């Protein structure tokens, strides 16, 4: 039986509670919900990438990608992504950002995905994304 390994890239803060940014077991990698915080600065509180959905979404993608890479995965290994928005008015803009980002990444096949509205994010945060990857 394979070991479970917690993943916390150097760009991320230590989680405030007993959870991991990502967990890998065998060829399965689960990325916990990530938000648009800029890379961690020791001694400073996490800071959002900016007030706009675009800024936060692109930073959120970077944060998810850092965990994927830490676990030896790429976007092409992602089977499922879940996107949580705080405002229904952001669906169209998020879809545009999502499509452009993954086109630029050269994604071979799109993962399954779902988007929902969730109002429980900390103040000022507009988006959260988690991902499930299966490594070859």
């Amino acid at each position: 039986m394979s070991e479970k390994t917690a993943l916390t890239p150097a760009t991320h803060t230590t989680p405030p509670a007993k959870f991991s940014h990502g967990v890998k077991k065998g060829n399965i990698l689960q990325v916990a919900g990530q938000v648009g915080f800029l890379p961690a600065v020791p001694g400073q509180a996490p800071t959002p990438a900016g007030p706009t959905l675009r800024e936060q979404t692109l930073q959120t993608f970077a944060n998810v990608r850092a965990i994927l890479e830490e676990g030896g995965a790429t976007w092409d290994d992602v089977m499922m992504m879940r996107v949580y928005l705080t405002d229904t008015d952001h669906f169209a803009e998020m879809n545009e950002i999502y499509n452009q980002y993954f086109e630029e990444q050269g994604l071979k096949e799109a993962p399954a995905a779902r988007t929902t509205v969730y109002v429980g994010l900390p103040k000022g945060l507009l988006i959260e994304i988690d991902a499930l990857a299966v490594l070859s």
Side-chain angles (χ1 to χ4, degrees):
M1 185 166 232
S2 59
E3 300 249 346
K4 182 168 72 170
T5 304
L7 304 170
T8 298
T11 54
H12 287 54
T13 58
T14 300
K18 189 81 173 153
F19 66 86
S20 302
H21 287 291
V23 175
K24 182 177 176 184
K25 185 168 182 175
N27 68 338
I28 305 290
L29 192 162
Q30 175 66 55
V31 177
Q34 299 297 300
V35 295
F37 285 142
L38 293 168
V41 176
Q44 290 186 10
T47 305
T52 69
L53 181 65
R54 174 169 291 283
E55 291 167 310
Q56 289 189 27
T57 300
L58 293 175
Q59 186 61 53
T60 301
F61 284 145
N63 293 342
V64 171
R65 184 178 183 168
I67 297 164
L68 291 170
E69 290 174 351
E70 184 85 4
T74 69
W75 286 118
D76 282 314
D77 296 310
V78 174
M79 300 296 292
M80 178 66 179
M81 287 192 5
R82 286 173 290 275
V83 178
Y84 305 91
L85 298 172
T86 59
D87 188 333
T88 56
D89 290 340
H90 289 161
F91 272 89
E93 182 181 1
M94 193 284 301
N95 285 337
E96 287 177 23
I97 298 164
Y98 182 100
N99 288 339
Q100 180 182 7
Y101 178 84
F102 285 112
E103 183 175 316
E104 291 170 0
Q105 299 303 306
L107 188 66
K108 294 177 188 134
E109 295 292 334
R114 78 180 288 268
T115 303
T116 190
V117 174
Y118 172 71
V119 294
L121 293 177
K123 185 178 179 176
L125 293 177
L126 305 173
I127 187 168
E128 179 177 341
I129 299 174
D130 69 60
L132 175 65
V134 178
L135 288 76
S136 316

